[in-house]
Amino acid sequence: MVSFSHRDPGTDEALWHRAFADRALRTLDETFGHLVVVAAHPDDETLGAAGLMARTARRGARITVLIATDGEGSHPESPTHTPVELAAMRRQEVAEALHQLGPSIDLHFLGLPDGGTDDHREAIATALGAVLGGSGTHLVVVPWVGDGHRDHRVAAEVTAEVCADLGVSWREYPIWLWHWGSPDEAPWGDLEVVLLDEPTADLKRAAMHHHRSQIAALSPAPGDEVMLHEGMQAHFDRPFEVFVRPAGPSLAEGFFNDFYRRNGDDPWGFESRWYEQRKRSIALASLPRARYASALELGCSTGVFTELLADRCDAVRAVDIADAPLEIARRRLGDREGVRLDRLELPGEWPAGTFDLVVLSEVGYYWSPADLTVAIDRIRRAMDAGGHLIACHWRHPVTEYPQSGDDVHAALRAADGFVRLVQHEEEDFVLEVYGFEGARSVAAETGLVE
């Protein structure tokens, strides 16, 4: 997960202003009859969706707001306010802010522990399911899953599960991305905007000012400092609000079996295209060690790269989701000693054991963001203490894929514990090699430098 502090100066809003000015983004469809705003903490809803709520209230549609926690952990070292007092203060602030936006907004507090939503996913799911039980068209908005805050991620993951099960549309609104991120890290292809006229923007500013505990210091004492400094507040004084259109579900086995049935034994041209041959050569040359004891290849397809890995590894465990490519891989590799091929539906199914090399090549974009998070965690657990991960992905958009190659590598860079040893980036693909904390360069490992 991204590491940041609210005390950091953060990214200047002028940089984001220039980035937005250069892009034409689609507008959010507002033809829903019921808007449900999920917030991890009081003020998320105002920062991310106050303008949308004001517009929705103006046309007389229903609005429900669910606040997961009371935000009592915002000032853990406050000498003047206890967590109980902060919780009460923040409940009052959000109630006042929402009344400013629309007196008929239906507000629900779940009262979950600030920072502890991961242990209360079912409570969020139950509350959200209950407010979506009525008839009509709903839109749910929730903090962005990639925001770099655990409670935001949990709220987004639960919302995605509930909405997918019920067939309800949802969007995600970034909060902390604008602070820690840069335009290079924004999911531009998935962004939608809600344009705010001046009266609506004024309403949002007024609502934000009700969150006094966050936009001003609680007192002059250490521990009572402002949570959202003026630089952070500037990100939410735009004449528009930004929402992320969520990625689709992970691609299932049927997609790949159908793809091979329609396109033959080499549908991606692994054997016939110079592009693929060259990319494999770059990947092999990027491995920090001449030889590995054991490798795990995730998504081996027809086994072209598996065969090359077998020349560099004592043992290779190669897995794929579909039978069609595995049959080709078995014909290619025969009974080659040290190679094992299995069909597994990653990341739900996962091979046992640990490896000193894990290969994630042209696979990660088939997974939803939630499944990619699971996969990254399982990759970490599957790597030996001194192991390496090599990841390589196509960078051009593919309509059917839930994510892009750049999305996958952004998630790897944000993951806890990984240290990047190799980065190779071209217009067409990105290749990176990671180790754990303390991993050394090739020159250091081979004694050329200390």
PDB file of all heavy atoms in Angstrom, residues 13 19 38 59 63 89 102 132 138 154 181 213 225 227 245 251 254 259 296 323 327 365 367 373 388 390 427 430 441:
ATOM      1  N   GLU A  13      -1.823  21.351  -6.459  1.00  0.00           N
ATOM      2  CA  GLU A  13      -3.035  21.296  -7.282  1.00  0.00           C
ATOM      3  C   GLU A  13      -2.803  21.866  -8.673  1.00  0.00           C
ATOM      4  O   GLU A  13      -3.459  21.453  -9.640  1.00  0.00           O
ATOM      5  CB  GLU A  13      -4.175  22.033  -6.587  1.00  0.00           C
ATOM      6  CG  GLU A  13      -5.454  22.178  -7.405  1.00  0.00           C
ATOM      7  CD  GLU A  13      -6.083  20.852  -7.839  1.00  0.00           C
ATOM      8  OE1 GLU A  13      -5.714  19.790  -7.267  1.00  0.00           O
ATOM      9  OE2 GLU A  13      -6.938  20.866  -8.745  1.00  0.00           O
ATOM     10  N   ALA A  19      -2.875  18.770 -15.768  1.00  0.00           N
ATOM     11  CA  ALA A  19      -3.147  17.422 -16.275  1.00  0.00           C
ATOM     12  C   ALA A  19      -4.594  17.286 -16.738  1.00  0.00           C
ATOM     13  O   ALA A  19      -4.874  16.691 -17.788  1.00  0.00           O
ATOM     14  CB  ALA A  19      -2.836  16.384 -15.189  1.00  0.00           C
ATOM     15  N   VAL A  38     -21.173   5.963   0.070  1.00  0.00           N
ATOM     16  CA  VAL A  38     -20.495   5.247   1.147  1.00  0.00           C
ATOM     17  C   VAL A  38     -19.225   6.013   1.492  1.00  0.00           C
ATOM     18  O   VAL A  38     -18.444   6.381   0.599  1.00  0.00           O
ATOM     19  CB  VAL A  38     -20.140   3.802   0.725  1.00  0.00           C
ATOM     20  CG1 VAL A  38     -19.411   3.074   1.849  1.00  0.00           C
ATOM     21  CG2 VAL A  38     -21.406   3.043   0.324  1.00  0.00           C
ATOM     22  N   ARG A  59     -32.584  17.831  -8.176  1.00  0.00           N
ATOM     23  CA  ARG A  59     -33.585  17.245  -9.084  1.00  0.00           C
ATOM     24  C   ARG A  59     -34.559  16.313  -8.354  1.00  0.00           C
ATOM     25  O   ARG A  59     -35.387  15.655  -8.983  1.00  0.00           O
ATOM     26  CB  ARG A  59     -32.906  16.531 -10.241  1.00  0.00           C
ATOM     27  CG  ARG A  59     -32.044  15.350  -9.908  1.00  0.00           C
ATOM     28  CD  ARG A  59     -31.361  14.786 -11.150  1.00  0.00           C
ATOM     29  NE  ARG A  59     -30.453  13.695 -10.858  1.00  0.00           N
ATOM     30  CZ  ARG A  59     -30.806  12.414 -10.749  1.00  0.00           C
ATOM     31  NH1 ARG A  59     -32.076  12.060 -10.901  1.00  0.00           N
ATOM     32  NH2 ARG A  59     -29.906  11.486 -10.489  1.00  0.00           N
ATOM     33  N   ILE A  63     -31.255  10.315  -1.790  1.00  0.00           N
ATOM     34  CA  ILE A  63     -29.842  10.222  -1.425  1.00  0.00           C
ATOM     35  C   ILE A  63     -29.739   9.553  -0.064  1.00  0.00           C
ATOM     36  O   ILE A  63     -30.401   9.955   0.896  1.00  0.00           O
ATOM     37  CB  ILE A  63     -29.165  11.604  -1.351  1.00  0.00           C
ATOM     38  CG1 ILE A  63     -29.350  12.385  -2.650  1.00  0.00           C
ATOM     39  CG2 ILE A  63     -27.679  11.456  -1.011  1.00  0.00           C
ATOM     40  CD1 ILE A  63     -28.882  13.828  -2.570  1.00  0.00           C
ATOM     41  N   MET A  89     -18.076  14.821  17.753  1.00  0.00           N
ATOM     42  CA  MET A  89     -17.863  16.050  16.987  1.00  0.00           C
ATOM     43  C   MET A  89     -17.993  15.786  15.499  1.00  0.00           C
ATOM     44  O   MET A  89     -18.650  16.549  14.768  1.00  0.00           O
ATOM     45  CB  MET A  89     -16.473  16.616  17.309  1.00  0.00           C
ATOM     46  CG  MET A  89     -16.127  17.878  16.545  1.00  0.00           C
ATOM     47  SD  MET A  89     -14.440  18.450  16.904  1.00  0.00           S
ATOM     48  CE  MET A  89     -14.592  18.837  18.633  1.00  0.00           C
ATOM     49  N   GLY A 102     -28.562  19.005   1.183  1.00  0.00           N
ATOM     50  CA  GLY A 102     -29.932  18.576   0.912  1.00  0.00           C
ATOM     51  C   GLY A 102     -30.592  18.120   2.199  1.00  0.00           C
ATOM     52  O   GLY A 102     -30.192  17.088   2.757  1.00  0.00           O
ATOM     53  N   LEU A 132     -30.066  -0.828  -0.550  1.00  0.00           N
ATOM     54  CA  LEU A 132     -30.253  -1.094  -1.974  1.00  0.00           C
ATOM     55  C   LEU A 132     -31.418  -2.038  -2.234  1.00  0.00           C
ATOM     56  O   LEU A 132     -31.616  -2.483  -3.362  1.00  0.00           O
ATOM     57  CB  LEU A 132     -28.965  -1.695  -2.566  1.00  0.00           C
ATOM     58  CG  LEU A 132     -27.759  -0.758  -2.617  1.00  0.00           C
ATOM     59  CD1 LEU A 132     -26.519  -1.512  -3.100  1.00  0.00           C
ATOM     60  CD2 LEU A 132     -28.028   0.436  -3.520  1.00  0.00           C
ATOM     61  N   HIS A 138     -30.202   2.544  -8.942  1.00  0.00           N
ATOM     62  CA  HIS A 138     -29.291   3.031  -7.922  1.00  0.00           C
ATOM     63  C   HIS A 138     -27.922   3.337  -8.539  1.00  0.00           C
ATOM     64  O   HIS A 138     -27.500   2.699  -9.505  1.00  0.00           O
ATOM     65  CB  HIS A 138     -29.074   1.972  -6.830  1.00  0.00           C
ATOM     66  CG  HIS A 138     -30.326   1.398  -6.262  1.00  0.00           C
ATOM     67  ND1 HIS A 138     -31.058   2.030  -5.280  1.00  0.00           N
ATOM     68  CD2 HIS A 138     -30.975   0.234  -6.523  1.00  0.00           C
ATOM     69  CE1 HIS A 138     -32.105   1.278  -4.962  1.00  0.00           C
ATOM     70  NE2 HIS A 138     -32.076   0.182  -5.717  1.00  0.00           N
ATOM     71  N   VAL A 154     -11.019  -1.119   1.931  1.00  0.00           N
ATOM     72  CA  VAL A 154     -12.010  -2.095   2.419  1.00  0.00           C
ATOM     73  C   VAL A 154     -13.419  -1.677   2.000  1.00  0.00           C
ATOM     74  O   VAL A 154     -14.209  -2.502   1.510  1.00  0.00           O
ATOM     75  CB  VAL A 154     -11.917  -2.242   3.954  1.00  0.00           C
ATOM     76  CG1 VAL A 154     -13.088  -3.063   4.484  1.00  0.00           C
ATOM     77  CG2 VAL A 154     -10.593  -2.899   4.338  1.00  0.00           C
ATOM     78  N   GLY A 181      -0.250  11.215  -5.012  1.00  0.00           N
ATOM     79  CA  GLY A 181      -0.018  10.746  -6.374  1.00  0.00           C
ATOM     80  C   GLY A 181       0.437  11.846  -7.322  1.00  0.00           C
ATOM     81  O   GLY A 181       0.497  13.026  -6.986  1.00  0.00           O
ATOM     82  N   SER A 213     -13.169  20.097  12.445  1.00  0.00           N
ATOM     83  CA  SER A 213     -12.111  19.327  13.119  1.00  0.00           C
ATOM     84  C   SER A 213     -11.031  18.872  12.158  1.00  0.00           C
ATOM     85  O   SER A 213      -9.935  18.496  12.594  1.00  0.00           O
ATOM     86  CB  SER A 213     -12.720  18.102  13.814  1.00  0.00           C
ATOM     87  OG  SER A 213     -13.217  17.174  12.851  1.00  0.00           O
ATOM     88  N   GLU A 225      -2.972  19.305  15.435  1.00  0.00           N
ATOM     89  CA  GLU A 225      -2.725  19.983  14.170  1.00  0.00           C
ATOM     90  C   GLU A 225      -3.843  19.728  13.156  1.00  0.00           C
ATOM     91  O   GLU A 225      -4.584  18.755  13.253  1.00  0.00           O
ATOM     92  CB  GLU A 225      -1.393  19.526  13.570  1.00  0.00           C
ATOM     93  CG  GLU A 225      -0.171  19.899  14.372  1.00  0.00           C
ATOM     94  CD  GLU A 225       0.166  18.901  15.468  1.00  0.00           C
ATOM     95  OE1 GLU A 225      -0.581  17.900  15.622  1.00  0.00           O
ATOM     96  OE2 GLU A 225       1.174  19.111  16.166  1.00  0.00           O
ATOM     97  N   MET A 227      -5.709  18.464   9.994  1.00  0.00           N
ATOM     98  CA  MET A 227      -5.611  17.213   9.236  1.00  0.00           C
ATOM     99  C   MET A 227      -5.554  17.474   7.732  1.00  0.00           C
ATOM    100  O   MET A 227      -4.783  16.844   7.021  1.00  0.00           O
ATOM    101  CB  MET A 227      -6.812  16.316   9.535  1.00  0.00           C
ATOM    102  CG  MET A 227      -6.677  15.532  10.828  1.00  0.00           C
ATOM    103  SD  MET A 227      -5.345  14.312  10.752  1.00  0.00           S
ATOM    104  CE  MET A 227      -5.912  13.283   9.409  1.00  0.00           C
ATOM    105  N   ARG A 245     -14.461   4.700 -12.842  1.00  0.00           N
ATOM    106  CA  ARG A 245     -15.301   3.593 -13.285  1.00  0.00           C
ATOM    107  C   ARG A 245     -14.577   2.292 -12.953  1.00  0.00           C
ATOM    108  O   ARG A 245     -13.458   2.058 -13.411  1.00  0.00           O
ATOM    109  CB  ARG A 245     -15.546   3.704 -14.790  1.00  0.00           C
ATOM    110  CG  ARG A 245     -16.553   2.703 -15.346  1.00  0.00           C
ATOM    111  CD  ARG A 245     -16.822   2.926 -16.826  1.00  0.00           C
ATOM    112  NE  ARG A 245     -15.616   2.763 -17.624  1.00  0.00           N
ATOM    113  CZ  ARG A 245     -14.904   3.765 -18.112  1.00  0.00           C
ATOM    114  NH1 ARG A 245     -15.260   5.010 -17.888  1.00  0.00           N
ATOM    115  NH2 ARG A 245     -13.820   3.549 -18.833  1.00  0.00           N
ATOM    116  N   LEU A 251     -11.205 -12.309 -15.733  1.00  0.00           N
ATOM    117  CA  LEU A 251     -11.607 -13.185 -16.834  1.00  0.00           C
ATOM    118  C   LEU A 251     -11.553 -14.636 -16.382  1.00  0.00           C
ATOM    119  O   LEU A 251     -10.604 -15.057 -15.715  1.00  0.00           O
ATOM    120  CB  LEU A 251     -10.690 -12.965 -18.035  1.00  0.00           C
ATOM    121  CG  LEU A 251     -10.720 -11.550 -18.638  1.00  0.00           C
ATOM    122  CD1 LEU A 251      -9.818 -11.474 -19.856  1.00  0.00           C
ATOM    123  CD2 LEU A 251     -12.136 -11.153 -19.009  1.00  0.00           C
ATOM    124  N   GLY A 254     -13.561 -19.882 -19.223  1.00  0.00           N
ATOM    125  CA  GLY A 254     -14.269 -19.961 -20.496  1.00  0.00           C
ATOM    126  C   GLY A 254     -13.761 -18.977 -21.528  1.00  0.00           C
ATOM    127  O   GLY A 254     -13.724 -19.279 -22.726  1.00  0.00           O
ATOM    128  N   PHE A 259     -11.141 -18.437 -26.629  1.00  0.00           N
ATOM    129  CA  PHE A 259     -10.144 -17.703 -27.392  1.00  0.00           C
ATOM    130  C   PHE A 259      -9.252 -18.657 -28.184  1.00  0.00           C
ATOM    131  O   PHE A 259      -8.973 -18.439 -29.368  1.00  0.00           O
ATOM    132  CB  PHE A 259      -9.293 -16.848 -26.442  1.00  0.00           C
ATOM    133  CG  PHE A 259      -8.459 -15.808 -27.136  1.00  0.00           C
ATOM    134  CD1 PHE A 259      -9.000 -14.598 -27.522  1.00  0.00           C
ATOM    135  CD2 PHE A 259      -7.124 -16.055 -27.425  1.00  0.00           C
ATOM    136  CE1 PHE A 259      -8.225 -13.638 -28.163  1.00  0.00           C
ATOM    137  CE2 PHE A 259      -6.344 -15.103 -28.069  1.00  0.00           C
ATOM    138  CZ  PHE A 259      -6.900 -13.896 -28.435  1.00  0.00           C
ATOM    139  N   LEU A 296       8.200 -20.505 -10.209  1.00  0.00           N
ATOM    140  CA  LEU A 296       6.753 -20.614 -10.363  1.00  0.00           C
ATOM    141  C   LEU A 296       6.347 -19.669 -11.483  1.00  0.00           C
ATOM    142  O   LEU A 296       6.555 -18.460 -11.397  1.00  0.00           O
ATOM    143  CB  LEU A 296       6.047 -20.225  -9.066  1.00  0.00           C
ATOM    144  CG  LEU A 296       4.522 -20.053  -9.148  1.00  0.00           C
ATOM    145  CD1 LEU A 296       3.843 -21.364  -9.538  1.00  0.00           C
ATOM    146  CD2 LEU A 296       3.969 -19.522  -7.824  1.00  0.00           C
ATOM    147  N   ASP A 323      -7.378 -25.535 -20.081  1.00  0.00           N
ATOM    148  CA  ASP A 323      -6.823 -26.813 -20.540  1.00  0.00           C
ATOM    149  C   ASP A 323      -6.206 -26.717 -21.931  1.00  0.00           C
ATOM    150  O   ASP A 323      -5.210 -27.378 -22.217  1.00  0.00           O
ATOM    151  CB  ASP A 323      -7.922 -27.885 -20.564  1.00  0.00           C
ATOM    152  CG  ASP A 323      -8.299 -28.353 -19.164  1.00  0.00           C
ATOM    153  OD1 ASP A 323      -7.382 -28.474 -18.320  1.00  0.00           O
ATOM    154  OD2 ASP A 323      -9.494 -28.578 -18.918  1.00  0.00           O
ATOM    155  N   GLU A 327      -2.501 -28.309 -22.864  1.00  0.00           N
ATOM    156  CA  GLU A 327      -2.273 -29.481 -23.723  1.00  0.00           C
ATOM    157  C   GLU A 327      -1.125 -29.220 -24.698  1.00  0.00           C
ATOM    158  O   GLU A 327      -0.294 -30.085 -24.961  1.00  0.00           O
ATOM    159  CB  GLU A 327      -3.562 -29.823 -24.488  1.00  0.00           C
ATOM    160  CG  GLU A 327      -4.617 -30.509 -23.640  1.00  0.00           C
ATOM    161  CD  GLU A 327      -4.083 -31.779 -23.000  1.00  0.00           C
ATOM    162  OE1 GLU A 327      -3.441 -32.590 -23.713  1.00  0.00           O
ATOM    163  OE2 GLU A 327      -4.287 -31.949 -21.782  1.00  0.00           O
ATOM    164  N   TYR A 365      -3.287  -8.322 -15.907  1.00  0.00           N
ATOM    165  CA  TYR A 365      -4.414  -7.508 -16.378  1.00  0.00           C
ATOM    166  C   TYR A 365      -5.678  -8.330 -16.604  1.00  0.00           C
ATOM    167  O   TYR A 365      -6.738  -7.768 -16.866  1.00  0.00           O
ATOM    168  CB  TYR A 365      -4.049  -6.724 -17.642  1.00  0.00           C
ATOM    169  CG  TYR A 365      -3.241  -7.482 -18.674  1.00  0.00           C
ATOM    170  CD1 TYR A 365      -3.683  -8.678 -19.218  1.00  0.00           C
ATOM    171  CD2 TYR A 365      -2.013  -6.987 -19.111  1.00  0.00           C
ATOM    172  CE1 TYR A 365      -2.952  -9.360 -20.171  1.00  0.00           C
ATOM    173  CE2 TYR A 365      -1.261  -7.660 -20.058  1.00  0.00           C
ATOM    174  CZ  TYR A 365      -1.736  -8.851 -20.586  1.00  0.00           C
ATOM    175  OH  TYR A 365      -0.995  -9.530 -21.523  1.00  0.00           O
ATOM    176  N   TRP A 367      -6.955  -9.980 -14.200  1.00  0.00           N
ATOM    177  CA  TRP A 367      -7.587 -10.000 -12.886  1.00  0.00           C
ATOM    178  C   TRP A 367      -8.240  -8.668 -12.556  1.00  0.00           C
ATOM    179  O   TRP A 367      -7.764  -7.604 -12.965  1.00  0.00           O
ATOM    180  CB  TRP A 367      -6.554 -10.310 -11.802  1.00  0.00           C
ATOM    181  CG  TRP A 367      -5.999 -11.698 -11.841  1.00  0.00           C
ATOM    182  CD1 TRP A 367      -6.672 -12.833 -12.151  1.00  0.00           C
ATOM    183  CD2 TRP A 367      -4.648 -12.088 -11.558  1.00  0.00           C
ATOM    184  NE1 TRP A 367      -5.823 -13.919 -12.078  1.00  0.00           N
ATOM    185  CE2 TRP A 367      -4.587 -13.496 -11.711  1.00  0.00           C
ATOM    186  CE3 TRP A 367      -3.497 -11.393 -11.188  1.00  0.00           C
ATOM    187  CZ2 TRP A 367      -3.408 -14.204 -11.512  1.00  0.00           C
ATOM    188  CZ3 TRP A 367      -2.325 -12.097 -10.977  1.00  0.00           C
ATOM    189  CH2 TRP A 367      -2.286 -13.490 -11.136  1.00  0.00           C
ATOM    190  N   THR A 373      -4.897  -7.743  -5.970  1.00  0.00           N
ATOM    191  CA  THR A 373      -4.415  -7.546  -4.597  1.00  0.00           C
ATOM    192  C   THR A 373      -4.164  -8.883  -3.923  1.00  0.00           C
ATOM    193  O   THR A 373      -3.143  -9.081  -3.257  1.00  0.00           O
ATOM    194  CB  THR A 373      -5.438  -6.726  -3.790  1.00  0.00           C
ATOM    195  OG1 THR A 373      -5.596  -5.443  -4.399  1.00  0.00           O
ATOM    196  CG2 THR A 373      -4.987  -6.542  -2.352  1.00  0.00           C
ATOM    197  N   HIS A 388      13.100 -13.649  -6.246  1.00  0.00           N
ATOM    198  CA  HIS A 388      12.823 -12.566  -7.182  1.00  0.00           C
ATOM    199  C   HIS A 388      11.461 -12.764  -7.841  1.00  0.00           C
ATOM    200  O   HIS A 388      11.027 -13.911  -8.048  1.00  0.00           O
ATOM    201  CB  HIS A 388      13.885 -12.499  -8.284  1.00  0.00           C
ATOM    202  CG  HIS A 388      15.239 -12.108  -7.798  1.00  0.00           C
ATOM    203  ND1 HIS A 388      16.399 -12.740  -8.212  1.00  0.00           N
ATOM    204  CD2 HIS A 388      15.631 -11.148  -6.923  1.00  0.00           C
ATOM    205  CE1 HIS A 388      17.433 -12.179  -7.615  1.00  0.00           C
ATOM    206  NE2 HIS A 388      17.002 -11.212  -6.838  1.00  0.00           N
ATOM    207  N   ILE A 390       9.674 -11.531 -11.425  1.00  0.00           N
ATOM    208  CA  ILE A 390       9.782 -10.826 -12.697  1.00  0.00           C
ATOM    209  C   ILE A 390       8.375 -10.665 -13.256  1.00  0.00           C
ATOM    210  O   ILE A 390       7.606 -11.633 -13.328  1.00  0.00           O
ATOM    211  CB  ILE A 390      10.716 -11.541 -13.708  1.00  0.00           C
ATOM    212  CG1 ILE A 390      10.809 -10.715 -15.003  1.00  0.00           C
ATOM    213  CG2 ILE A 390      10.287 -12.981 -13.968  1.00  0.00           C
ATOM    214  CD1 ILE A 390      11.917 -11.178 -15.952  1.00  0.00           C
ATOM    215  N   GLU A 427       7.239   1.687 -25.182  1.00  0.00           N
ATOM    216  CA  GLU A 427       5.877   2.082 -25.522  1.00  0.00           C
ATOM    217  C   GLU A 427       4.927   0.895 -25.453  1.00  0.00           C
ATOM    218  O   GLU A 427       3.749   1.038 -25.109  1.00  0.00           O
ATOM    219  CB  GLU A 427       5.851   2.693 -26.925  1.00  0.00           C
ATOM    220  CG  GLU A 427       4.472   3.192 -27.354  1.00  0.00           C
ATOM    221  CD  GLU A 427       4.483   3.828 -28.715  1.00  0.00           C
ATOM    222  OE1 GLU A 427       5.580   4.115 -29.246  1.00  0.00           O
ATOM    223  OE2 GLU A 427       3.393   4.040 -29.267  1.00  0.00           O
ATOM    224  N   VAL A 430       6.057  -3.099 -20.314  1.00  0.00           N
ATOM    225  CA  VAL A 430       6.879  -2.740 -19.161  1.00  0.00           C
ATOM    226  C   VAL A 430       7.317  -4.031 -18.487  1.00  0.00           C
ATOM    227  O   VAL A 430       6.528  -4.970 -18.346  1.00  0.00           O
ATOM    228  CB  VAL A 430       6.120  -1.816 -18.185  1.00  0.00           C
ATOM    229  CG1 VAL A 430       4.799  -2.433 -17.730  1.00  0.00           C
ATOM    230  CG2 VAL A 430       6.989  -1.470 -16.981  1.00  0.00           C
ATOM    231  N   SER A 441      21.758  -5.618  -6.050  1.00  0.00           N
ATOM    232  CA  SER A 441      21.935  -5.601  -7.499  1.00  0.00           C
ATOM    233  C   SER A 441      22.803  -6.786  -7.933  1.00  0.00           C
ATOM    234  O   SER A 441      23.442  -7.443  -7.115  1.00  0.00           O
ATOM    235  CB  SER A 441      22.583  -4.301  -7.945  1.00  0.00           C
ATOM    236  OG  SER A 441      23.962  -4.282  -7.531  1.00  0.00           O
TER     237      SER A 441
END
